[in-house]
Amino acid sequence: MDAQKEALRRIISTLASKNEELQNFLEAVDHTLTGLQEESCKVMSDLEAELEKLNSALEEKGAELRYIIKEEKQRKEVELQVETLFFNELFLSGTLYFLNYYLVLVLHIYLLIVFKVIFSTLVTMAPAFRLTTRPAASDNMSQFTVDFSTERAGLQRLHFLPVPRAPQIDASSCVVRDNAITVTWRPPGEADSGGDSSSRPIERYDLEYRKMDRDSTLRVAGEACWEKVCDIIEPQVTISGLKFDSRFIAIRVRARNKAAAGEFSEPIAIETTAYNFSFDASTAHAELKVQGDTVTWEPQGVKGHDPRLRGKENKSSSRSATPSPNKTAASRGGRDRFAGESYTVLGDEEMTNGCHYWELRPLADWKSFSVGVAYRGSLGRFDQLGKGTGSWCLHASQWLQSSLAAKHNNRAKTLDWPLPHRIGIYCDYENGDLLFIDVDRLRLVHAFKTKFSQPLVPAFTVWCGGITIATGLQVPSFMGNFLTTNRSLSSLSP
């Protein structure tokens, strides 16, 4: 009977998984149809815009040629009109008047003498008469004849641009390191790029990536949008500054020639596991404000900034007060908020194996903070970090004077090191290593060596000021140098 129940559970589980995959596939098809409509509208709009540009260019060229012909026509007309007016005036006002004058003399004076004068005058004016036999401008306009046969043939050959085919991502050459991903791909060869794309070589690549919750391109974390990296010249790019808050990152790439982009490659999923946690606000001291990755100390109506006075008042009031049924309880451990002098808040993700890394930055107005790890069940409401056997921390203070110390089991070791502005915390659960790194100087501040026996959580204490944390970080490559020397360092562990 139990075997049949187990078989039935497996069948149900398989059906549920297949149903989910089918649902995701249908959503992907619907998304593709929507994208197809949007893309077709875009390319149609681009086509209309290009045709409009072509028509505009033809109109501009036609107007330019018409203007040239019109200008030449007007120039020749002006020259011919000026020549006509000049010689008409010359003829009418000069020659006719001259002949008329001497013909009158013929009638009144001596005929022989007059004809001799007329003959001499006509011989003198002969060059002027010869000028009128040839116009200054011709009626020939054949130099403005155009032949658009080549252009018409070019227009008839117009077609969509050849686009390169999708590159192929080389998954074996992709590298994940220090919250950066180096992606390498093989460009499409000339035989794969189609048409005469050899005349339009690949000029750029576009890469897109998005976070995923499973090793499937159909399962996208929170329906995340594709992030873009454009105008890549080489067939390789490094995406840096990533927060690995999902298990996988899907990556795809496409090639682009001078004017068109090809299809995206088949997406590949790259694993990006890292330690992610948030502040467990239900454990936070009442005077700590948790907001995202930041915790700030906000006193509630008590004058003065001395935490010892505030702790005594809070402790006495908490001992005498009757617990309210509506009081918020902490998660997982069923414990109340930290109180008294313990301005503490815990992380919400346990560490039971493996290596983990996160970072802390104090805000500009900070006075005192502690950062470390603790057994969740070992801290009482009024316990401070480093005071018992179940917590390890680095304590920094610039209240009255600057100090830096490592604390565990109510013992403190003063550290001769400047107050860091960025602290990296590394925890190797199996090997019992807890390291604090000055990230800006890349120096090891302190290392604990112990044997963890219970689930650990990140732990923080903030008084006067605030801190912010960075999670979703891989163990940095520089940690290897510190781990090799860790065994030679002193430890406060019992």
Side-chain angles (χ1 to χ4, degrees), residues 170-203:
D170 186 1
S172 62
S173 299
C174 296
V175 178
V176 181
R177 180 179 179 181
D178 293 340
N179 281 81
I181 301 176
T182 299
V183 186
T184 304
W185 57 89
R186 290 188 289 271
E190 292 184 2
D192 296 331
S193 54
D196 61 345
S197 60
S198 58
S199 62
R200 295 182 181 273
I202 294 172
E203 295 187 352

mmCIF file of all heavy atoms in Angstrom, residues 170-203:
data_model
loop_
_atom_site.group_PDB
_atom_site.id
_atom_site.type_symbol
_atom_site.label_atom_id
_atom_site.label_comp_id
_atom_site.label_asym_id
_atom_site.label_seq_id
_atom_site.Cartn_x
_atom_site.Cartn_y
_atom_site.Cartn_z
ATOM 1 N N ASP A 170 29.818 30.055 -26.296
ATOM 2 C CA ASP A 170 30.678 28.952 -25.880
ATOM 3 C C ASP A 170 30.585 28.819 -24.357
ATOM 4 O O ASP A 170 31.300 29.480 -23.614
ATOM 5 C CB ASP A 170 32.111 29.224 -26.324
ATOM 6 C CG ASP A 170 33.026 28.043 -26.053
ATOM 7 O OD1 ASP A 170 32.538 27.014 -25.543
ATOM 8 O OD2 ASP A 170 34.236 28.144 -26.354
ATOM 9 N N ALA A 171 29.682 27.957 -23.917
ATOM 10 C CA ALA A 171 29.426 27.828 -22.477
ATOM 11 C C ALA A 171 30.666 27.373 -21.723
ATOM 12 O O ALA A 171 30.885 27.777 -20.573
ATOM 13 C CB ALA A 171 28.267 26.862 -22.239
ATOM 14 N N SER A 172 31.500 26.550 -22.349
ATOM 15 C CA SER A 172 32.680 26.039 -21.660
ATOM 16 C C SER A 172 33.714 27.130 -21.405
ATOM 17 O O SER A 172 34.567 26.980 -20.528
ATOM 18 C CB SER A 172 33.317 24.911 -22.478
ATOM 19 O OG SER A 172 33.739 25.400 -23.745
ATOM 20 N N SER A 173 33.660 28.232 -22.150
ATOM 21 C CA SER A 173 34.621 29.323 -21.974
ATOM 22 C C SER A 173 34.087 30.454 -21.100
ATOM 23 O O SER A 173 34.820 31.408 -20.840
ATOM 24 C CB SER A 173 35.015 29.892 -23.350
ATOM 25 O OG SER A 173 35.620 28.897 -24.147
ATOM 26 N N CYS A 174 32.837 30.355 -20.684
ATOM 27 C CA CYS A 174 32.264 31.390 -19.814
ATOM 28 C C CYS A 174 32.797 31.210 -18.389
ATOM 29 O O CYS A 174 32.901 30.085 -17.895
ATOM 30 C CB CYS A 174 30.743 31.327 -19.827
ATOM 31 S SG CYS A 174 30.013 31.700 -21.446
ATOM 32 N N VAL A 175 33.126 32.329 -17.748
ATOM 33 C CA VAL A 175 33.745 32.297 -16.425
ATOM 34 C C VAL A 175 32.920 33.138 -15.465
ATOM 35 O O VAL A 175 32.534 34.270 -15.783
ATOM 36 C CB VAL A 175 35.191 32.824 -16.481
ATOM 37 C CG1 VAL A 175 35.803 32.835 -15.091
ATOM 38 C CG2 VAL A 175 36.027 31.995 -17.439
ATOM 39 N N VAL A 176 32.650 32.575 -14.289
ATOM 40 C CA VAL A 176 31.956 33.294 -13.217
ATOM 41 C C VAL A 176 32.953 33.502 -12.089
ATOM 42 O O VAL A 176 33.471 32.537 -11.517
ATOM 43 C CB VAL A 176 30.729 32.507 -12.718
ATOM 44 C CG1 VAL A 176 30.010 33.288 -11.620
ATOM 45 C CG2 VAL A 176 29.784 32.218 -13.868
ATOM 46 N N ARG A 177 33.220 34.774 -11.766
ATOM 47 C CA ARG A 177 34.216 35.054 -10.741
ATOM 48 C C ARG A 177 33.993 36.452 -10.173
ATOM 49 O O ARG A 177 33.775 37.412 -10.924
ATOM 50 C CB ARG A 177 35.623 34.962 -11.337
ATOM 51 C CG ARG A 177 36.750 35.235 -10.356
ATOM 52 C CD ARG A 177 38.093 35.093 -11.035
ATOM 53 N NE ARG A 177 39.193 35.370 -10.116
ATOM 54 C CZ ARG A 177 40.471 35.329 -10.460
ATOM 55 N NH1 ARG A 177 40.801 35.024 -11.700
ATOM 56 N NH2 ARG A 177 41.407 35.590 -9.573
ATOM 57 N N ASP A 178 34.038 36.557 -8.852
ATOM 58 C CA ASP A 178 33.934 37.844 -8.154
ATOM 59 C C ASP A 178 32.709 38.643 -8.594
ATOM 60 O O ASP A 178 32.782 39.833 -8.908
ATOM 61 C CB ASP A 178 35.205 38.676 -8.387
ATOM 62 C CG ASP A 178 36.426 38.055 -7.723
ATOM 63 O OD1 ASP A 178 36.241 37.233 -6.807
ATOM 64 O OD2 ASP A 178 37.549 38.388 -8.124
ATOM 65 N N ASN A 179 31.569 37.949 -8.645
ATOM 66 C CA ASN A 179 30.300 38.575 -9.030
ATOM 67 C C ASN A 179 30.373 39.230 -10.403
ATOM 68 O O ASN A 179 29.771 40.282 -10.655
ATOM 69 C CB ASN A 179 29.850 39.589 -7.982
ATOM 70 C CG ASN A 179 29.220 38.913 -6.776
ATOM 71 O OD1 ASN A 179 29.917 38.433 -5.890
ATOM 72 N ND2 ASN A 179 27.897 38.850 -6.763
ATOM 73 N N ALA A 180 31.132 38.615 -11.280
ATOM 74 C CA ALA A 180 31.213 39.038 -12.670
ATOM 75 C C ALA A 180 31.155 37.797 -13.552
ATOM 76 O O ALA A 180 31.610 36.718 -13.168
ATOM 77 C CB ALA A 180 32.496 39.821 -12.933
ATOM 78 N N ILE A 181 30.570 37.946 -14.731
ATOM 79 C CA ILE A 181 30.456 36.850 -15.686
ATOM 80 C C ILE A 181 31.139 37.269 -16.978
ATOM 81 O O ILE A 181 30.795 38.300 -17.565
ATOM 82 C CB ILE A 181 28.985 36.490 -15.964
ATOM 83 C CG1 ILE A 181 28.272 36.088 -14.666
ATOM 84 C CG2 ILE A 181 28.891 35.377 -16.984
ATOM 85 C CD1 ILE A 181 26.801 35.808 -14.862
ATOM 86 N N THR A 182 32.126 36.485 -17.404
ATOM 87 C CA THR A 182 32.771 36.704 -18.698
ATOM 88 C C THR A 182 32.155 35.740 -19.699
ATOM 89 O O THR A 182 32.221 34.522 -19.529
ATOM 90 C CB THR A 182 34.283 36.480 -18.603
ATOM 91 O OG1 THR A 182 34.842 37.422 -17.672
ATOM 92 C CG2 THR A 182 34.941 36.687 -19.959
ATOM 93 N N VAL A 183 31.526 36.294 -20.740
ATOM 94 C CA VAL A 183 30.809 35.505 -21.742
ATOM 95 C C VAL A 183 31.603 35.539 -23.047
ATOM 96 O O VAL A 183 32.032 36.607 -23.499
ATOM 97 C CB VAL A 183 29.387 36.054 -21.968
ATOM 98 C CG1 VAL A 183 28.601 35.138 -22.895
ATOM 99 C CG2 VAL A 183 28.661 36.219 -20.637
ATOM 100 N N THR A 184 31.781 34.366 -23.644
ATOM 101 C CA THR A 184 32.506 34.240 -24.917
ATOM 102 C C THR A 184 31.602 33.529 -25.919
ATOM 103 O O THR A 184 30.882 32.593 -25.563
ATOM 104 C CB THR A 184 33.810 33.444 -24.726
ATOM 105 O OG1 THR A 184 34.601 34.083 -23.714
ATOM 106 C CG2 THR A 184 34.609 33.389 -26.017
ATOM 107 N N TRP A 185 31.641 33.987 -27.178
ATOM 108 C CA TRP A 185 30.825 33.360 -28.209
ATOM 109 C C TRP A 185 31.608 33.284 -29.518
ATOM 110 O O TRP A 185 32.600 33.986 -29.727
ATOM 111 C CB TRP A 185 29.511 34.115 -28.411
ATOM 112 C CG TRP A 185 29.686 35.565 -28.762
ATOM 113 C CD1 TRP A 185 29.814 36.115 -30.007
ATOM 114 C CD2 TRP A 185 29.745 36.663 -27.843
ATOM 115 N NE1 TRP A 185 29.956 37.472 -29.929
ATOM 116 C CE2 TRP A 185 29.909 37.845 -28.607
ATOM 117 C CE3 TRP A 185 29.670 36.768 -26.453
ATOM 118 C CZ2 TRP A 185 30.020 39.099 -28.027
ATOM 119 C CZ3 TRP A 185 29.776 38.019 -25.880
ATOM 120 C CH2 TRP A 185 29.933 39.168 -26.661
ATOM 121 N N ARG A 186 31.121 32.416 -30.408
ATOM 122 C CA ARG A 186 31.719 32.264 -31.726
ATOM 123 C C ARG A 186 30.913 33.070 -32.728
ATOM 124 O O ARG A 186 29.710 32.844 -32.890
ATOM 125 C CB ARG A 186 31.768 30.787 -32.133
ATOM 126 C CG ARG A 186 32.765 29.973 -31.338
ATOM 127 C CD ARG A 186 32.914 28.571 -31.920
ATOM 128 N NE ARG A 186 31.720 27.766 -31.665
ATOM 129 C CZ ARG A 186 31.547 27.039 -30.577
ATOM 130 N NH1 ARG A 186 32.476 27.019 -29.634
ATOM 131 N NH2 ARG A 186 30.446 26.330 -30.413
ATOM 132 N N PRO A 187 31.560 34.005 -33.450
ATOM 133 C CA PRO A 187 30.819 34.802 -34.444
ATOM 134 C C PRO A 187 30.308 33.912 -35.568
ATOM 135 O O PRO A 187 30.938 32.909 -35.921
ATOM 136 C CB PRO A 187 31.867 35.802 -34.958
ATOM 137 C CG PRO A 187 32.962 35.786 -33.943
ATOM 138 C CD PRO A 187 32.969 34.407 -33.348
ATOM 139 N N PRO A 188 29.181 34.258 -36.161
ATOM 140 C CA PRO A 188 28.703 33.493 -37.322
ATOM 141 C C PRO A 188 29.652 33.680 -38.496
ATOM 142 O O PRO A 188 30.049 34.801 -38.813
ATOM 143 C CB PRO A 188 27.322 34.091 -37.601
ATOM 144 C CG PRO A 188 27.369 35.458 -36.991
ATOM 145 C CD PRO A 188 28.277 35.361 -35.805
ATOM 146 N N GLY A 189 30.035 32.568 -39.176
ATOM 147 C CA GLY A 189 30.921 32.653 -40.328
ATOM 148 C C GLY A 189 30.197 33.208 -41.531
ATOM 149 O O GLY A 189 28.963 33.385 -41.546
ATOM 150 N N GLU A 190 30.959 33.460 -42.586
ATOM 151 C CA GLU A 190 30.365 34.017 -43.802
ATOM 152 C C GLU A 190 29.341 33.067 -44.394
ATOM 153 O O GLU A 190 28.321 33.489 -44.930
ATOM 154 C CB GLU A 190 31.455 34.307 -44.828
ATOM 155 C CG GLU A 190 32.393 35.439 -44.420
ATOM 156 C CD GLU A 190 33.383 35.746 -45.518
ATOM 157 O OE1 GLU A 190 33.293 35.107 -46.581
ATOM 158 O OE2 GLU A 190 34.234 36.629 -45.309
ATOM 159 N N ALA A 191 29.599 31.786 -44.243
ATOM 160 C CA ALA A 191 28.643 30.816 -44.790
ATOM 161 C C ALA A 191 27.356 30.792 -44.007
ATOM 162 O O ALA A 191 26.314 30.393 -44.508
ATOM 163 C CB ALA A 191 29.262 29.414 -44.798
ATOM 164 N N ASP A 192 27.418 31.244 -42.734
ATOM 165 C CA ASP A 192 26.232 31.214 -41.883
ATOM 166 C C ASP A 192 25.496 32.526 -41.875
ATOM 167 O O ASP A 192 24.413 32.624 -41.311
ATOM 168 C CB ASP A 192 26.637 30.877 -40.439
ATOM 169 C CG ASP A 192 27.225 29.504 -40.326
ATOM 170 O OD1 ASP A 192 26.857 28.632 -41.138
ATOM 171 O OD2 ASP A 192 28.055 29.315 -39.440
ATOM 172 N N SER A 193 26.072 33.577 -42.443
ATOM 173 C CA SER A 193 25.469 34.890 -42.304
ATOM 174 C C SER A 193 24.458 35.199 -43.378
ATOM 175 O O SER A 193 23.755 36.187 -43.310
ATOM 176 C CB SER A 193 26.561 35.967 -42.300
ATOM 177 O OG SER A 193 27.372 35.818 -43.439
ATOM 178 N N GLY A 194 24.401 34.397 -44.464
ATOM 179 C CA GLY A 194 23.335 34.521 -45.439
ATOM 180 C C GLY A 194 23.529 35.639 -46.422
ATOM 181 O O GLY A 194 24.022 36.708 -46.116
ATOM 182 N N GLY A 195 23.130 35.415 -47.688
ATOM 183 C CA GLY A 195 23.124 36.456 -48.694
ATOM 184 C C GLY A 195 24.505 37.014 -48.950
ATOM 185 O O GLY A 195 25.521 36.325 -48.912
ATOM 186 N N ASP A 196 24.544 38.313 -49.255
ATOM 187 C CA ASP A 196 25.812 38.977 -49.510
ATOM 188 C C ASP A 196 26.289 39.712 -48.279
ATOM 189 O O ASP A 196 26.843 40.794 -48.352
ATOM 190 C CB ASP A 196 25.671 39.958 -50.682
ATOM 191 C CG ASP A 196 24.647 41.035 -50.396
ATOM 192 O OD1 ASP A 196 23.873 40.840 -49.445
ATOM 193 O OD2 ASP A 196 24.642 42.046 -51.104
ATOM 194 N N SER A 197 26.066 39.102 -47.104
ATOM 195 C CA SER A 197 26.427 39.765 -45.865
ATOM 196 C C SER A 197 27.920 39.938 -45.731
ATOM 197 O O SER A 197 28.385 40.660 -44.859
ATOM 198 C CB SER A 197 25.887 38.980 -44.663
ATOM 199 O OG SER A 197 26.436 37.684 -44.655
ATOM 200 N N SER A 198 28.711 39.267 -46.614
ATOM 201 C CA SER A 198 30.145 39.486 -46.557
ATOM 202 C C SER A 198 30.482 40.924 -46.899
ATOM 203 O O SER A 198 31.511 41.443 -46.490
ATOM 204 C CB SER A 198 30.847 38.523 -47.513
ATOM 205 O OG SER A 198 30.357 38.714 -48.840
ATOM 206 N N SER A 199 29.573 41.572 -47.703
ATOM 207 C CA SER A 199 29.785 42.984 -48.004
ATOM 208 C C SER A 199 29.346 43.876 -46.857
ATOM 209 O O SER A 199 29.591 45.068 -46.886
ATOM 210 C CB SER A 199 29.017 43.367 -49.278
ATOM 211 O OG SER A 199 27.629 43.186 -49.083
ATOM 212 N N ARG A 200 28.651 43.304 -45.888
ATOM 213 C CA ARG A 200 28.242 44.040 -44.700
ATOM 214 C C ARG A 200 28.754 43.285 -43.486
ATOM 215 O O ARG A 200 28.021 42.517 -42.874
ATOM 216 C CB ARG A 200 26.720 44.200 -44.629
ATOM 217 C CG ARG A 200 26.143 45.064 -45.746
ATOM 218 C CD ARG A 200 24.648 45.226 -45.583
ATOM 219 N NE ARG A 200 24.088 46.030 -46.641
ATOM 220 C CZ ARG A 200 24.013 47.352 -46.606
ATOM 221 N NH1 ARG A 200 24.484 47.988 -45.568
ATOM 222 N NH2 ARG A 200 23.478 48.026 -47.597
ATOM 223 N N PRO A 201 30.001 43.431 -43.139
ATOM 224 C CA PRO A 201 30.575 42.653 -42.038
ATOM 225 C C PRO A 201 29.948 43.017 -40.696
ATOM 226 O O PRO A 201 29.369 44.104 -40.526
ATOM 227 C CB PRO A 201 32.056 43.049 -42.078
ATOM 228 C CG PRO A 201 32.070 44.396 -42.712
ATOM 229 C CD PRO A 201 30.960 44.383 -43.716
ATOM 230 N N ILE A 202 30.074 42.096 -39.749
ATOM 231 C CA ILE A 202 29.554 42.323 -38.404
ATOM 232 C C ILE A 202 30.351 43.441 -37.743
ATOM 233 O O ILE A 202 31.580 43.421 -37.726
ATOM 234 C CB ILE A 202 29.629 41.029 -37.580
ATOM 235 C CG1 ILE A 202 28.682 39.982 -38.179
ATOM 236 C CG2 ILE A 202 29.266 41.290 -36.121
ATOM 237 C CD1 ILE A 202 28.826 38.624 -37.550
ATOM 238 N N GLU A 203 29.640 44.416 -37.229
ATOM 239 C CA GLU A 203 30.290 45.569 -36.604
ATOM 240 C C GLU A 203 30.131 45.587 -35.086
ATOM 241 O O GLU A 203 31.015 46.058 -34.377
ATOM 242 C CB GLU A 203 29.732 46.868 -37.183
ATOM 243 C CG GLU A 203 30.037 47.050 -38.660
ATOM 244 C CD GLU A 203 29.614 48.420 -39.160
ATOM 245 O OE1 GLU A 203 28.957 49.146 -38.382
ATOM 246 O OE2 GLU A 203 29.951 48.756 -40.304
#
